[in-house]
């Protein structure tokens, strides 16, 4: 039961671990041992954890039952710790790519991305019909350029749609904050630019939503809380927001999120549950729940989120859109709540891969004066002509991991993989990725420690204003010791080396993004929030 010190696990050196399909490495499934907590239960657990002696005892048992003591606390790991996920960049002289000059202005970067995309047939645009059709960035640009519709018209329809989505009949929970006057001001400025024939870029006039973890004037940055914006006022735009403004994007408000990113359901006791546009009785996922939902609903072609442990990718998967977490430090983190320094990254949620690429080009590139020497000097964008497909792609697949999900997810993902093989001739490379569950535990120890440290100054004075689920999460986060944090970074180093070996044999590692589909929102979670580590760990 985790009461006594478990037997020490001694990890083999990385060089001795077989990563081939014939590997004898044991696959450990996630076996989360924690009850779903909402309502009165989550309140009781929070109170108990906040009692000094009882809380410490319960946390020790909880960590032991979930194998943290066995695989991290008491483990012997030869590799040195890796505190920041930076490594030597090797330029492989990729073919059929265009290098993105990071010295370019954001509009010029966007144009480079546009030049990489195939020339597609124009879709008919009906500018008079007051509905949303999940337009892409290029759909908006063509409609604006032709005069069929204006950014002002889109802004008015957007505002009406958000207002409708907030009514008691829907209560979709998309936004924490949006400002009608500011949206119309931006849209009017964009409309004038199109009337003069001087749009800044294809993003000009395109509505983009922002997770409420990223500074974006005139809005406060709440992080999904009722208090953080009072302690940390927003005085300027984040760097990524400044770059979107330079491209002419219309920033339409701050989207809902799981409080402090401390969960994966997107149920926020302060601002309501973000509901899945495909089925409003189910979760949108988290923590970038609102950003995923507004894109999925067709209100915006693109939204920004922040991803520390799947907070962009999970809600994107559950809402049926594209979620991109870029490589560490490819997008400046300045102006983002520093909840987790070494794992959190600004990410992109979009309706299409093309829109994700365009937005990535617009906001990518570190601030030159702060760029570490180990960061790659360039970003390569793929050239995607319509008449030629990318060939000779090798997909690394670890069968035990790929199939460790519900049947409906496995069948869907296997079907997609078969289509890629059949249509493009891409090759499957069978591999073994060792210690996946250990990696999850190490990541949880890392992100939890960093989040707890980030909020240490604020916790005591604002404890009563936290949601109950966030209070439980933060007590668990605060239970990790310095030794556990360092050992987690040793595991990070091991995984980096494992992945580098696999990527020397393959181009992509494939797996389902989430192991389950979106589960139902239950009424008992609406007022207190919800902690569901079982579904969150799959």
């Amino acid at each position: 039961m985790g009461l006594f010190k478990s037997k020490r696990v001694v990890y083999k050196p990385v060089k001795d671990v077989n990563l081939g399909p014939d590997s004898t490495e044991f696959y450990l499934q996630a076996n989360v041992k924690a009850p779903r907590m909402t309502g009165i239960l989550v309140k009781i657990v929070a109170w108990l954890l906040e009692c000094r002696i009882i809380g410490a005892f319960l946390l020790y048992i909880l960590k032991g039952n979930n194998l943290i003591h066995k695989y991290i606390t008491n483990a012997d790991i030869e590799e040195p710790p890796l505190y920041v996920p930076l490594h030597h960049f090797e330029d492989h002289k990729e073919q059929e790519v265009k290098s993105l000059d990071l010295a370019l202005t954001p509009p010029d970067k966007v144009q480079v991305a546009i030049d990489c995309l195939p020339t597609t047939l124009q879709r008919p645009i009906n500018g008079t019909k007051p509905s949303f059709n999940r337009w892409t960035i290029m759909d908006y640009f063509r409609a604006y350029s032709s005069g069929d519709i204006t950014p002002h018209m889109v802004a008015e329809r957007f505002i009406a749609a958000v207002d409708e989505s907030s009514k008691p009949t829907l209560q979709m929970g998309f936004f924490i904050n949006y400002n009608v006057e500011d949206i119309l001001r931006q849209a009017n400025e964009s409309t004038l630019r199109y009337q003069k024939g001087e749009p800044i870029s294809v993003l000009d006039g395109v509505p983009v939503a922002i997770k409420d973890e990223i500074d974006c004037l005139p809005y406060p940055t709440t992080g999904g809380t009722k208090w953080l914006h009072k302690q940390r006022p927003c005085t300027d735009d984040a760097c990524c927001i400044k770059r979107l403004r330079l491209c002419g994007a219309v920033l339409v408000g701050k989207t809902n999120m799981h409080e402090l990113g401390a969960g994966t359901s997107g149920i926020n006791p302060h601002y309501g549950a973000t509901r899945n546009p495909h089925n409003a009785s189910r979760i949108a996922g988290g923590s970038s729940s609102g950003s995923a939902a507004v894109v999925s609903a067709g209100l915006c072609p693109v939204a920004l989120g922040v991803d520390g442990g799947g907070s962009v990718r999970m809600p994107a998967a559950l809402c049926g859109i594209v979620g991109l977490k870029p490589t560490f430090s490819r997008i400046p983190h300045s102006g983002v709540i520093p909840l987790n320094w070494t794992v959190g990254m600004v990410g992109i949620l979009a309706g299409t891969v093309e829109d994700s690429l365009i937005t990535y080009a617009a906001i990518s590139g570190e601030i030159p004066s702060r760029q570490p020497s180990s960061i790659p000097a360039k970003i390569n964008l793929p050239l995607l002509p319509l008449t030629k497909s990318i060939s000779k792609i090798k997909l690394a697949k670890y069968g035990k991991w790929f199939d460790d999900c519900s049947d409906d997810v496995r069948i869907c993902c296997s079907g997609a993989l078969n289509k890629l093989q059949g249509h493009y001739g891409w090759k499957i490379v069978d591999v073994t990725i060792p210690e996946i569950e250990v990696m999850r535990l190490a990541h949880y120890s890392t992100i939890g420690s960093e989040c707890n440290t980030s909020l240490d100054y604020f916790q005591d004075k604002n404890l009563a204003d936290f949601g109950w689920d966030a209070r439980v999460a933060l007590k668990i986060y605060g239970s990790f010791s310095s030794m556990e944090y360092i050992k987690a970074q040793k595991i990070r180093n091991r995984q980096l080396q494992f992945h580098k070996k696999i990527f020397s044999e393959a181009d992509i590692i494939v797996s389902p993004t989430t192991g389950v589909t979106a589960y139902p929102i239950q009424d008992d979670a609406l007022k207190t929030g919800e902690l569901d580590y079982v579904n969150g760990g799959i």
Side-chain angles (χ1 to χ4, degrees), residues 324-386:
L324 171 66
K325 179 182 182 179
T327 300
F328 182 80
S329 203
R330 288 294 184 117
I331 296 173
H333 208 65
S334 62
V336 181
I337 299 175
L339 293 177
N340 27 78
W341 298 276
T342 72
V343 293
M345 286 294 298
V346 173
I348 299 163
L349 299 110
T352 66
V353 171
E354 292 85 353
D355 284 355
S356 181
L357 180 70
I358 292 169
T359 308
Y360 178 48
I363 65 176
S364 63
E366 258 298 348
I367 301 170
S369 61
R370 302 181 189 176
Q371 184 172 332
S373 59
S374 57
I375 295 294
K378 61 184 179 181
I379 295 173
N380 290 332
L381 304 181
L383 296 173
L384 301 172
L386 185 62

Side-chain angles (χ1 to χ4, degrees), residues 157-186:
R157 295 180 187 180
F158 171 86
I159 292 164
V162 174
D163 181 62
E164 183 70 20
S165 75
S166 304
K167 291 180 178 178
T169 52
L170 290 176
Q171 292 183 319
M172 296 301 290
F174 291 150
F175 284 88
I176 287 177
N177 206 340
Y178 68 100
N179 185 305
V180 171
E181 291 183 1
D182 186 66
I183 294 170
L184 291 175
R185 176 190 60 78
Q186 295 177 77

Side-chain angles (χ1 to χ4, degrees), residues 202-262:
V202 297
L203 279 169
D204 204 335
V206 174
V208 178
I210 310 298
K211 184 181 183 181
D212 206 2
E213 195 175 331
I214 304 171
D215 288 341
C216 178
L217 296 173
Y219 305 102
T221 304
T222 73
T225 73
K226 283 290 190 180
W227 59 269
L228 185 57
H229 59 289
K230 301 172 186 176
Q231 305 288 337
R232 180 191 174 276
C234 174
T235 59
D236 195 8
D237 286 332
C239 182
C240 56
I241 299 301
K242 291 179 180 179
R243 291 174 176 178
L244 287 176
R245 289 195 196 279
L246 288 172
C247 294
V250 175
L251 307 178
V252 293
K254 305 298 285 293
T255 54
N256 202 354
M257 59 178 287
H258 204 111
E259 185 176 6
L260 295 170

